[in-house]
Amino acid sequence: KPQPHTHTRGATVRGSLQASGARARARPPGAEPMAELEQDRLRASWADMFQKAVQADSWGQVVEAQEDYQRLASIVATKQGAPYIASADKDMMQKLCLCLSARVQALKTLNETITSFDMKALQPVFDTLFTGRELDQFPIESFKFQSVQLVKPTTHGEIVCEGDEHSDWQQQQAVLKTVVGTVVCLRIEKIGLKDAQDYIDPYMTVIVSDCRANMIDTHDTPVARERLPQHVFFNHQVYLKVSLEEMQAQQAALFFEFKHYKPKKKKVSTRCWAFMELSELKRDDEMVLEIYHKPTDLRKKAIKLHSEKPLYLHLYATFVRS
């Protein structure tokens, strides 16, 4: 079990989650063994679909190949934001979607920017997905696919609409288009509070602050999905709009505010907060943060534990290269 991040007099002590299990695969903490079975199923299913599409493509069956590539791209896209997908696999899935989308476009326009021969080189990528193994390099040059318009993900067989701004996929693609470098995705799992069921419309605000306590990025989660006696569950992913490299250059820190609505005062109030240094941010790792009494102090000077009970904020991080 990971130990909480504690901050005393500016010193940071961090417990890390130890890898467990005999299988050498990248699996973010919180992904249950059942997720491994799902990953195995997806890998086998996608490999079969890909082989069918490549076969149609090599036989000159343009319409069939186009439909098969588009269907596979949309299915892969729906899984990119799944909580059990590790950073390296998210990177590969993004590139696969781009290549599949580029081949769909090439078949439509008869412009062979990316060829049937290129597509055959993707087979090892499908074979290594979700195994923990990584290829030395991606088999297709980036200029052949990087500027293509992506095929959109499907939900129950239907294309996700253009205006679905709350889609995880939409959020991810928007950030990947604007951020140069490593995109940080934070999944806000849950926060432990002794009176967790008493809060009305609770949500989290994520703040990125530089070393001078200037806010350089902020995000609000949707209202919590579930409240149990000692935990408020969010299970929501936030894609930061500032790259990891830029945050490092600005010596930034990450802050998390737990907010709720007070009907008597008719206002939203911050109940408690947590923070972490960038040195504590690890990809595909669980982070357990101490919770501090309000008000939020971006200078990290006034730090007082919110409760003596062993209750914490639980987060997961994945990185995706733009």
Side-chain angles (χ1 to χ4, degrees):
K1 182 179 178 180
Q3 299 301 311
H5 301 198
T6 59
H7 303 90
T8 306
R9 296 178 184 175
T12 301
V13 181
R14 183 182 185 279
S16 62
L17 187 70
Q18 299 298 317
S20 62
R23 304 188 70 178
R25 77 166 63 196
R27 185 181 74 187
E32 300 299 327
M34 183 61 70
E36 289 191 358
L37 297 177
E38 172 70 1
Q39 290 174 339
D40 290 340
R41 185 191 68 79
L42 289 176
R43 186 174 60 256
S45 173
W46 294 354
D48 287 344
M49 293 175 66
F50 178 69
Q51 289 170 4
K52 179 186 174 186
V54 168
Q55 186 176 67
D57 198 358
S58 63
W59 287 353
Q61 297 174 327
V62 175
V63 175
E64 291 84 353
Q66 183 179 314
E67 289 176 350
D68 289 343
Y69 284 136
Q70 179 158 335
R71 180 165 173 263
L72 179 55
S74 66
I75 291 172
V76 173
T78 62
K79 296 296 183 180
Q80 278 184 268
Y84 54 79
I85 304 296
S87 298
D89 291 318
K90 284 187 176 183
D91 270 337
M92 289 299 101
M93 290 166 70
Q94 175 71 7
K95 290 177 180 177
L96 284 172
C97 284
L98 285 167
C99 288
L100 293 166
S101 300
R103 186 56 184 160
V104 169
Q105 187 65 25
L107 291 169
K108 283 182 179 179
T109 62
L110 302 180
N111 181 358
E112 293 284 290
T113 304
I114 187 168
T115 66
S116 173
F117 183 78
D118 289 326
M119 298 305 288
K120 292 178 181 179
L122 292 176
Q123 187 62 55
V125 182
F126 282 98
D127 292 341
T128 56
L129 275 178
F130 314 132
T131 63
R133 304 193 307 271
E134 295 185 35
L135 299 174
D136 292 335
Q137 63 180 24
F138 195 72
I140 299 179
E141 299 94 332
S142 61
F143 74 86
K144 294 186 176 184
F145 59 80
Q146 61 187 2
S147 61
V148 73
Q149 182 175 351
L150 276 166
V151 170
K152 293 181 175 61
T154 59
T155 302
H156 305 301
E158 296 185 0
I159 299 294
V160 174
C161 65
E162 190 78 28
D164 186 7
E165 296 177 353
H166 301 293
S167 159
D168 182 89
W169 182 85
Q170 293 279 359
Q171 289 183 53
Q172 183 190 59
Q173 297 307 315
V175 173
L176 285 171
K177 287 178 181 178
T178 56
V179 173
V180 177
T182 303
V183 172
V184 176
C185 172
L186 295 172
R187 178 159 63 91
I188 316 297
E189 177 67 15
K190 63 183 178 180
I191 187 170
L193 298 164
K194 62 182 180 181
D195 50 356
Q197 291 181 311
D198 296 341
Y199 297 101
I200 299 173
D201 294 340
Y203 67 95
M204 298 291 299
T205 294
V206 181
I207 300 170
V208 182
S209 174
D210 67 15
C211 59
R212 296 177 297 279
N214 298 314
M215 290 190 291
I216 56 179
D217 191 20
T218 63
H219 298 265
D220 289 336
T221 71
V223 170
R225 296 186 177 188
E226 185 180 10
R227 288 173 294 169
L228 296 180
Q230 286 197 319
H231 285 95
V232 179
F233 288 83
F234 295 94
N235 195 27
H236 179 77
Q237 297 194 133
V238 169
Y239 293 88
L240 301 184
K241 295 179 181 177
V242 55
S243 71
L244 176 62
E245 293 78 10
E246 186 177 345
M247 288 191 288
Q248 291 169 336
Q250 299 197 41
Q251 298 180 315
L254 304 176
F255 295 79
F256 306 88
E257 295 180 322
F258 176 77
K259 297 179 177 179
H260 64 110
Y261 181 70
K262 288 186 171 181
K264 290 184 178 180
K265 296 185 177 181
K266 296 182 178 180
K267 71 171 188 177
V268 172
S269 175
T270 297
R271 176 61 175 164
C272 53
W273 62 288
F275 82 94
M276 65 183 302
E277 306 288 358
L278 285 184
S279 60
E280 299 171 316
L281 180 64
K282 307 296 181 183
R283 78 172 195 168
D284 303 325
D285 203 353
E286 180 178 13
M287 291 155 285
V288 181
L289 307 184
E290 285 186 331
I291 303 169
Y292 305 117
H293 197 63
K294 64 180 182 181
T296 305
D297 180 12
L298 299 183
R299 297 187 181 278
K300 299 170 285 188
K301 302 290 186 184
I303 298 176
K304 179 182 177 182
L305 282 176
H306 179 66
S307 171
E308 295 300 322
K309 293 182 178 292
L311 297 170
Y312 309 101
L313 175 63
H314 296 255
L315 315 166
Y316 303 91
T318 50
F319 297 169
V320 183
R321 291 288 302 176
S322 62

